[in-house]
Amino acid sequence: MKNSPAELKILSIDIGGSNIKGTVLNQKGELTMDYEKIPTPYPASPENVINAIKTLVKAFPPHDRISVGFPGYVKDGVVKTAPNLDSALWKDVDLAKRLEEALGKKAQVVNDADMQGLGVVKGKGLELVITLGTGFGTAWLKNGDLLPHLEFAHQPFSKVKSYDKYIGECALEKEGNKKWNRRVQKVFEVLKTVFNYDYLYIGGGNSSKLTFKLDKNMKIVTNADGIKGGARLWVKPETPQPTAAAV
């Protein structure tokens, strides 16, 4: 007998520039095991990354589907860019298909910020999700549904080439925490003007280094929160049915 959606167990993987993280979720997005990670291999070629994922999940409990958040532009499971890994190695790699072949389960691959967005948003209004990590990721959702992904991180900003270079990991290490925080504040002002969001969620490993006070409609979220979005790729939350009007 095939599993019903309510019984699905989803292997949820987040591929980052520093670590590859994973867990197994139930259909509600709840963790069924501890969140585990393994260093991202170097060079981060498709072969090396897939082998690292196989090593990471070797002792994981059984699962039925695979969800992957990838740090780049992904279209229909095919990687188009991977700026924080190596775009030349990843161009036009059908990562979803290759994972299905390697792990024997159906797989979906989306941008990592998009998957995190699915895991953290309230599902009401226009919500923006950003990640402060090796690079700068963005996702935006309307009433819980993903909107078309934009590689906003590669838009020119200030005197440097991109948002990635302005507030990414290299900028933090080079400029120091105080100056980096001032830069992030400037970026936040731009985001408010460009997106006019109802709520902003801030994820990524460097979100913990923010020292300024956030607006009331801003919230720091964890990678563990974001990886829960893997369940939403396979099982949409139930929409409450309207109650019948009283006669």
Side-chain angles (χ1 to χ4, degrees):
M1 179 181 292
K2 293 183 178 180
N3 287 341
S4 68
E7 298 170 331
L8 284 178
K9 296 292 187 295
I10 300 108
L11 172 63
S12 191
I13 300 290
D14 177 27
I15 300 173
S18 301
N19 294 289
I20 298 173
K21 300 164 280 286
T23 189
V24 175
L25 309 170
N26 64 19
Q27 79 284 350
K28 295 179 181 179
E30 299 166 337
L31 278 69
T32 66
M33 57 167 287
D34 290 337
Y35 181 86
E36 297 187 11
K37 64 183 179 180
I38 190 173
T40 302
Y42 182 82
S45 65
E47 294 78 11
N48 289 343
V49 168
I50 290 171
N51 284 334
I53 291 173
K54 289 169 69 175
T55 298
L56 174 66
V57 308
K58 190 174 182 179
F60 279 22
H63 47 270
D64 310 293
R65 299 287 188 271
I66 304 167
S67 295
V68 177
F70 184 85
Y73 185 75
V74 181
K75 184 175 182 181
D76 298 326
V78 178
V79 176
K80 297 300 181 181
T81 65
N84 294 314
L85 297 180
D86 188 328
S87 287
L89 292 175
W90 284 92
K91 183 174 174 55
D92 294 327
V93 170
D94 192 335
L95 183 55
K97 181 179 179 181
R98 292 185 63 168
L99 284 170
E100 288 177 354
E101 292 171 347
L103 299 176
K105 303 292 181 181
K106 290 184 178 180
Q108 292 193 58
V109 181
V110 297
N111 173 265
D112 54 352
D114 282 350
M115 192 165 87
Q116 182 163 51
L118 288 170
V120 302
V121 299
K122 297 176 182 177
K124 184 177 181 180
L126 182 61
E127 297 176 286
L128 178 64
V129 181
I130 67 169
T131 55
L132 301 174
T134 305
F136 174 65
T138 59
W140 52 327
L141 301 92
K142 180 70 176 294
N143 295 327
D145 293 325
L146 279 172
L147 295 173
H149 182 74
L150 302 176
E151 283 291 82
F152 195 71
H154 304 293
Q155 176 79 6
F157 189 86
S158 187
K159 297 178 181 179
V160 297
K161 293 182 179 179
S162 65
Y163 285 81
D164 255 2
K165 295 185 180 298
Y166 190 65
I167 58 171
E169 182 76 33
C170 289
L172 174 59
E173 293 177 353
K174 180 181 178 181
E175 304 295 343
N177 196 59
K178 187 175 181 179
K179 186 173 181 179
W180 179 80
N181 265 271
R182 290 200 298 267
R183 287 186 171 192
V184 174
Q185 283 184 287
K186 289 181 182 179
V187 169
F188 281 8
E189 289 302 317
V190 172
L191 297 179
K192 291 177 192 178
T193 302
V194 171
F195 288 94
N196 289 294
Y197 53 78
D198 294 304
Y199 215 93
L200 173 68
Y201 302 86
I202 308 158
N206 291 332
S207 61
S208 62
K209 296 180 173 65
L210 297 178
T211 57
F212 54 90
K213 185 177 180 180
L214 301 177
D215 296 344
K216 291 181 179 179
N217 64 338
M218 295 179 176
K219 179 183 179 182
I220 292 177
V221 294
T222 69
N223 286 333
D225 292 326
I227 208 167
K228 297 175 184 177
R232 287 278 308 276
L233 290 177
W234 296 101
V235 183
K236 290 189 176 182
E238 293 184 4
T239 303
Q241 296 299 315
T243 56
V247 178

